[in-house]
Amino acid sequence: MGLFKASPNLPKPMAYALLAGMWCGLLGGVVGLLIGLSVYPPTAWAAVLEVGIPAALLGFVGGLLAGAARLFMDSGRGAKPRH
């Protein structure tokens, strides 16, 4: 799978969790920046953290669940699981 070539030794749930956490955190940070700039520009940096960190945590948990489901589905079909 092309998405996980950088970390081939990670179990599927952890790889999915890290990838989803990274992308959701990045998106949440951008949304927080836009909200912060529209509300009160001097404290926009705080809005980046206030929105980005929870988004990253939710993305991590969602990715962990998706990776676990993928691992479960792969093992149900008789495929050899990575971890």
Side-chain angles (χ1 to χ4, degrees):
M1 199 181 243
L3 295 174
F4 304 110
K5 284 185 180 179
S7 58
N9 295 329
L10 283 177
K12 248 182 211 179
M14 184 58 69
Y16 276 65
L18 292 175
L19 189 67
M22 177 190 69
W23 283 109
C24 288
L26 181 67
L27 182 63
V30 169
V31 169
L33 179 65
L34 294 174
I35 291 171
L37 288 174
S38 69
V39 173
Y40 190 63
T43 59
W45 64 270
V48 170
L49 297 176
E50 289 174 352
V51 178
I53 291 174
L57 290 174
L58 285 174
F60 183 86
V61 171
L64 192 62
L65 292 173
R70 177 79 185 260
L71 187 65
F72 179 72
M73 289 173 53
D74 285 348
S75 66
R77 285 189 225 147
K80 182 181 174 195
R82 281 184 26 196
H83 284 107

